[in-house]
């Protein structure tokens, strides 16, 4: 097949879709550090985790021995409604850049929720249903995760309670209404429905909320309601596991045409799409079968890998979840108010953190105006209006392709295009009006976040 002209889109047949997820941790010689119980500082047990998450998901979270885990048929059925996602050869972009590089992107925006988050949402909803739960609770900021979860819950007829940061609830009515259309109940946070919400409202009347507060409300609601568990859309090992479907499909599609990537690029918020995209490639790299350059891209205004500390920290601003060893800016870190490009999480998946720490992966930070320039260029040339998050990967893919133009190298670049930007037009408006600026935190700005790190010895 190698001399065949490569099509604009490489699709897979249904029977070529993965039947198992790939659990990269099983093949890592150096495992990521275990989650710790914040009270005892001992590794969390299955029993402890099962109080927060569904049993089967808690087992996946702790599993670093099974390389392959079957994807239940019910989940594969749902995947077939919107997967396989296309792997696109960016011929138009290559031509416009006049680069000898070959650029491919895996597009995860072809579903109503508009991002890759649905890949894990459907798995988490399935295991909740299988356990006989009534429903799940979660928080959402901008709304991508809440939207994906509401779609997944409606499919399995599960109750879905979303705590949405009040300012987003008011300013982003479209995502809110998508969630309600799929049957979720969406509560602006802080709210009167939880003890922690009532306390915050009493202390700070008129507050517009924060992600940390929404998490605290969602967790309280889950642990005080019979038949409910709390679910999270990124960062966790289980989420990276489900997202491996992205990388497995990508690898199968490339192999159909004997294509071997030189560079693999992804945006990194909590690390789930990047972890999923790179997993089968990183597996080969760890086993010494092939070498790939792997680049994580993060915002300069929230630089957890490039400027964070590798330390145990809370996964959530509400400080209720287990401690995770990761590159972190501290759970108290809040990006500057002018930050518009998403990926605002303070830490990074423990698996990716470990790979980065061991030198198996690179990281780069980019400024938001450069990200929106790349987004606009991509939209005009390739036709897809990208999510701001995804555009971090576009920025670095273009930069690498331009380097190839200088050196004449015909490198093959693959990047993850995680979603569409239809619900992010306020950020695009800011950019289009020339009102977007870059702010890179100073070392002093980062100090309070680091000071919020728990003491763990
Ligand atoms: C949530 C999101 C991300 C970042 O999350 P990761 O867990 O780092 O993948 C990236 N792109 C889009 C479109 C998202 O919705």
């Amino acid at each position: 097949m190698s001399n065949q002209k490569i099509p604009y889109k490489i699709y897979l047949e249904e029977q070529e879709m993965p039947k198992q997820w790939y659990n990269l941790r099983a093949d890592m010689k150096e495992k990521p550090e275990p989650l710790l119980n914040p009270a005892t500082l001992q590794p969390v047990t299955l029993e402890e985790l099962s109080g927060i998450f569904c049993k089967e998901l808690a087992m996946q979270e702790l599993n670093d021995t099974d390389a392959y885990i079957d994807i239940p048929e019910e989940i594969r059925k749902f995947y077939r409604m919107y997967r396989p996602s296309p792997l696109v050869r960016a011929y138009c972009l290559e031509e416009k850049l006049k680069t000898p590089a070959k650029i491919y992107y895996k597009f995860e925006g072809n579903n109503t929720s508009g991002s890759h988050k649905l890949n894990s949402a459907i798995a988490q909803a399935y295991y909740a249903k299988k356990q006989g739960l009534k429903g799940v609770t979660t928080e959402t900021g901008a709304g991508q995760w809440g939207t994906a979860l509401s779609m997944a819950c409606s499919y399995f007829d599960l109750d879905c309670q979303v705590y949405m940061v009040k300012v987003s609830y008011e300013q982003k009515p479209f995502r809110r209404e998508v969630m309600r259309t799929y049957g979720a109940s969406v509560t602006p946070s802080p709210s009167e429905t939880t003890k922690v919400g009532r306390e915050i409202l009493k202390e700070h009347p008129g507050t517009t909320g924060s992600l940390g507060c929404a998490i605290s409300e969602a967790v309280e609601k889950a642990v005080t309601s019979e038949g409910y568990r709390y679910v999270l859309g990124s960062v966790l090992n289980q989420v990276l596991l489900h997202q491996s479907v992205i990388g497995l499909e990508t690898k199968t599609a490339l192999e159909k045409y004997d294509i071997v990537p030189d560079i693999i690029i992804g945006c990194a918020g909590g690390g789930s799409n990047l972890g999923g995209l790179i997993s089968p490639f990183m597996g080969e790299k760890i086993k010494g079968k092939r070498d790939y350059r792997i680049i994580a891209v993060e915002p300069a205004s929230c630089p957890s890998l490039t400027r964070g500390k590798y330390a145990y920290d809370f996964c959530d601003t509400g400080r209720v979840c287990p401690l995770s060893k990761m590159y972190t800016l501290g759970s108290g870190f809040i990006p500057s108010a002018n930050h518009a490009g998403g990926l605002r999480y303070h830490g990074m998946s423990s698996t990716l953190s470990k790979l980065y720490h061991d030198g198996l992966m690179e990281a780069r930070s980019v400024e938001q105006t450069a990200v929106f320039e790349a987004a606009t260029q991509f939209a005009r040339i390739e036709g897809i209006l990208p999510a701001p998050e995804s555009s971090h990967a576009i920025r670095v893919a273009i930069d690498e392709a331009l380097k190839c133009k200088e050196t004449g190298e015909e490198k093959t670049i693959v990047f993850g295009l995680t979603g569409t930007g239809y619900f992010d037009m306020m950020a695009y408006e800011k950019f289009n009006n020339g009102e977007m600026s870059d702010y890179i935190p100073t070392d002093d700005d980062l100090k309070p976040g680091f000071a919020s790190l728990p003491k763990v010895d």
Side-chain angles (χ1 to χ4, degrees):
M1 298 269 255
S2 55
N3 291 326
Q4 203 171 322
K5 166 119 170 90
I6 292 155
Y8 270 75
K9 286 193 182 125
I10 307 179
Y11 277 110
L12 298 182
E13 303 294 330
E14 244 174 57
Q15 65 271 19
E16 293 173 299
M17 287 170 63
K19 296 184 178 60
Q20 296 176 309
W21 290 302
Y22 174 53
N23 183 18
L24 175 64
R25 283 170 296 155
D27 288 331
M28 287 170 70
K29 286 166 199 135
E30 302 277 331
K31 307 290 181 200
E33 305 295 329
L35 291 171
L36 300 185
N37 177 326
T40 63
L41 300 185
Q42 294 302 307
V44 287
T45 62
L46 182 61
E47 285 63 36
E48 287 165 345
L49 269 191
S50 304
I52 311 172
F53 305 120
C54 306
K55 183 87 183 272
E56 192 113 8
L57 291 166
M59 282 162 65
Q60 291 180 356
E61 193 60 33
L62 299 175
N63 185 338
D64 58 11
T65 50
D66 296 322
Y68 290 93
I69 293 175
D70 287 343
I71 308 176
E73 176 53 30
E74 291 89 336
I75 297 173
R76 290 174 53 210
K77 205 161 136 195
F78 187 87
Y79 277 171
R80 275 181 224 124
M81 289 200 289
Y82 71 99
R83 309 197 68 82
S85 70
L87 182 72
V88 185
R89 173 77 182 266
Y91 280 119
C92 300
L93 182 63
E94 290 170 17
E95 211 171 283
K96 197 80 175 183
L97 297 175
K98 298 190 173 64
T99 173
K102 300 176 179 70
I103 309 172
Y104 296 85
Y105 56 90
K106 179 74 168 163
F107 182 45
E108 291 291 323
N110 272 337
N111 67 73
T112 297
S113 75
S115 83
H116 66 285
K117 290 199 171 70
L118 194 55
N119 301 332
S120 182
I122 193 64
Q124 298 196 42
Y126 167 78
Y127 290 116
K129 184 71 182 179
K130 196 175 157 216
Q131 191 170 324
L133 298 180
K134 293 182 196 140
V136 293
T137 71
T138 199
E139 75 291 335
T140 198
Q144 286 106 321
W145 169 244
T147 310
L149 189 68
S150 64
M151 286 176 72
C153 285
S154 73
Y155 184 73
F156 286 121
D157 204 14
L158 272 175
D159 185 35
C160 178
Q161 302 193 359
V162 182
Y163 286 89
M164 186 170 189
V165 177
K166 191 182 271 170
V167 60
S168 304
Y169 182 91
E170 284 161 3
Q171 292 181 359
K172 302 200 168 179
F174 298 123
R175 277 208 182 274
R176 182 187 77 206
E177 291 313 316
V178 178
M179 288 186 254
R180 289 183 359 126
T181 302
Y182 279 94
S185 59
V186 187
T187 308
S189 167
S191 74
E192 295 284 345
T193 66
T194 62
K195 188 161 158 278
V196 60
R198 288 189 293 273
E199 274 165 13
I200 290 168
L201 282 173
K202 209 161 123 199
E203 229 173 281
H204 310 279
T207 175
T208 54
S210 70
L211 209 50
C213 170
I215 295 174
S216 305
E217 286 203 270
V219 173
E220 180 186 319
K221 190 73 186 180
V223 299
T224 57
S225 312
E226 202 216 310
Y228 281 77
R229 288 293 185 281
Y230 167 70
V231 294
L232 198 62
S234 182
V235 193
L236 298 172
N237 293 323
Q238 55 185 282
V239 185
L240 267 73
L241 174 73
H242 307 146
Q243 296 297 355
S244 69
V245 68
I246 303 173
L248 293 165
E249 281 185 10
T250 301
K251 194 147 187 299
T252 306
L254 290 171
E255 281 169 357
K256 278 181 113 163
Y257 292 89
D258 292 335
I259 305 160
V260 179
D262 298 295
I263 309 175
I264 303 166
I265 300 165
C267 65
S272 72
N273 87 82
L274 179 69
L277 172 67
I278 68 172
S279 58
F281 302 97
M282 184 60 91
E284 289 191 340
K285 182 167 171 152
I286 288 169
K287 290 178 194 157
K289 282 192 186 160
R290 265 216 173 102
D291 200 15
Y292 302 98
R293 264 185 78 200
I294 292 168
I295 309 176
V297 191
E298 59 184 15
S301 47
C302 191
S304 56
L305 283 172
T306 51
R307 293 176 68 197
K309 286 199 175 24
Y310 189 45
Y312 269 104
D313 194 11
F314 290 93
C315 294
D316 59 307
T317 336
R319 300 184 151 227
V320 287
C321 290
L323 295 168
S324 174
K325 178 126 182 210
M326 58 185 175
Y327 278 86
T328 178
L329 298 165
S331 62
F333 177 81
I334 297 168
S336 126
N338 78 355
H339 172 75
L343 308 173
R344 46 174 58 247
Y345 188 62
H346 65 275
M348 185 59 60
S349 128
S350 65
T351 301
L352 291 187
S353 291
K354 179 70 180 161
L355 293 167
Y356 178 64
H357 195 68
D358 291 347
L360 290 158
M361 192 177 97
E362 301 167 36
R364 208 171 290 174
S365 71
V366 288
E367 292 170 34
Q368 63 179 359
T369 52
V371 167
F372 277 83
E373 275 161 23
T376 304
Q377 191 179 11
F378 187 83
R380 292 179 187 179
I381 299 170
E382 286 286 322
I384 294 172
L385 181 78
E389 292 90 342
S390 323
S391 306
H392 288 73
I394 299 176
R395 172 74 272 159
V396 170
I398 291 177
D399 290 347
E400 288 299 318
L402 291 174
K403 272 186 212 161
C404 289
K405 184 173 168 179
E406 278 170 31
T407 60
E409 284 173 292
E410 291 185 28
K411 287 197 174 139
T412 296
I413 299 169
V414 173
F415 73 89
L417 189 69
T418 49
T420 52
Y422 300 121
F423 292 117
D424 301 289
M425 298 322 290
M426 304 271 273
Y428 274 95
E429 179 186 30
K430 227 169 144 185
F431 178 72
N432 291 334
N433 287 344
E435 290 159 0
M436 184 174 280
S437 58
D438 294 316
Y439 183 77
I440 303 176
T442 63
D443 288 344
D444 274 347
D445 292 335
L446 296 182
K447 272 185 190 157
F450 291 141
S452 74
L453 287 172
K455 302 260 172 298
V456 179
D457 286 309

